[in-house]
Amino acid sequence: MNKLSVTAAALVAAGFCASARAGFFSDKFEMLVVAERSADAPASTTTTPCALVDGGYIEAGDPIAGENPPSAASVRQELQDALGQQGFHVGSAAPAVVITYHWGILRVDHIQIHPRYGINSNADARIRLVSTDQDTAEVENHILGRKGAPGENIDASSPVILIGPLETVVENARKPRYFVIVSAYDYRAAADHTQPKLLWRAKLSAQESAGEFSEVIPALIATGAPYFGKTLPETKIVETTLMKSVTPTSAEPTGPQSALVSSDPAAQSIGA
């Protein structure tokens, strides 16, 4: 057996087969960015005071052992740093917006029941993660139409077949994905216990094969930050590089209410 064969055999024995994660061979990977802003959201200012709320870690779909996610504290620190670079001042005594974030991994759930006349929650979450609201509505109208099911969105078309960007949505939704979702809400509406008003949302994701969990999440945050508060007409593919998680610079708590005390009405209005 030559040296190349010995090396290949050693990699297989160690668990690095042909489907090994891309991060083992390269630190480059592609991420998807979905960024949407409410039509009536106030214009951006040079500095926007905000409160930051950790919505929590989410792992949904088929369970797989061995995941090594970054710590909640490091994710918060990375996001706070990224927001600061985009003009959002976290921790202001008079915040204008509440920014919540969720992060984790989303896979197909082969156990969850597929309703005969509808779309199960796992499929809905996977489609929404990788598409704009408009594309989500069209893809789901297509699925409901094929099932002869009620509930189609009358504000969107119901394509008989999916082509172009809509076909891409379905393909992306089939793959396990690491993700970070950052959402901004009007602080006053939340504090007044009225319906939380979404101002903007950025959905950042990459295939599970992109690299190590603890290196993909910080890369998603750092590379996706320029799209916070922005609107993209369609999903954008961005090439980025794996990053190591940062070490938190403070010892503040990192639970869902870490940016707001539990008695704050805005924190109570916007949950995970």
Side-chain angles (χ1 to χ4, degrees), residues 31-204:
M31 60 181 279
L32 294 183
V33 179
V34 180
E36 295 183 290
R37 181 183 179 87
S38 173
D40 60 350
S44 299
T45 59
T46 304
T47 302
T48 302
C50 65
L52 186 61
V53 178
D54 180 355
Y57 169 73
I58 298 172
E59 185 173 347
D62 297 341
I64 296 179
E67 292 292 1
N68 183 32
S71 69
S74 67
V75 173
R76 176 180 173 80
Q77 184 67 63
E78 286 151 0
L79 186 56
Q80 183 167 323
D81 292 345
L83 286 166
Q85 293 171 7
Q86 301 305 314
F88 295 93
H89 177 61
V90 177
S92 171
V97 298
V98 179
I99 295 180
T100 69
Y101 62 100
H102 302 77
W103 54 285
I105 184 166
L106 182 56
R107 306 185 184 94
V108 174
D109 189 334
H110 289 94
I111 298 177
Q112 189 175 38
I113 296 174
H114 291 268
R116 182 176 180 181
Y117 298 110
I119 302 171
N120 68 31
S121 59
N122 175 266
D124 178 67
R126 288 185 284 110
I127 292 169
R128 289 179 180 277
L129 176 62
V130 297
S131 63
T132 62
D133 287 347
Q134 181 66 29
D135 285 352
T136 294
E138 293 189 21
V139 169
E140 297 198 341
N141 277 359
H142 165 78
I143 296 172
L144 294 172
R146 291 184 62 187
K147 293 184 174 185
E152 291 186 29
N153 187 332
I154 61 174
D155 295 324
S157 65
S158 301
V160 177
I161 60 173
L162 299 178
I163 59 175
L166 298 183
E167 184 179 23
T168 301
V169 166
V170 174
E171 288 299 317
N172 287 331
R174 291 193 178 113
K175 301 176 177 69
R177 307 190 73 85
Y178 296 130
F179 70 87
V180 178
I181 300 175
V182 184
S183 307
Y185 296 87
D186 179 79
Y187 183 88
R188 184 178 297 279
D192 290 343
H193 291 284
T194 58
Q195 180 68 30
K197 179 182 177 181
L198 179 65
L199 301 178
W200 55 262
R201 174 170 288 149
K203 296 179 286 191
L204 318 170

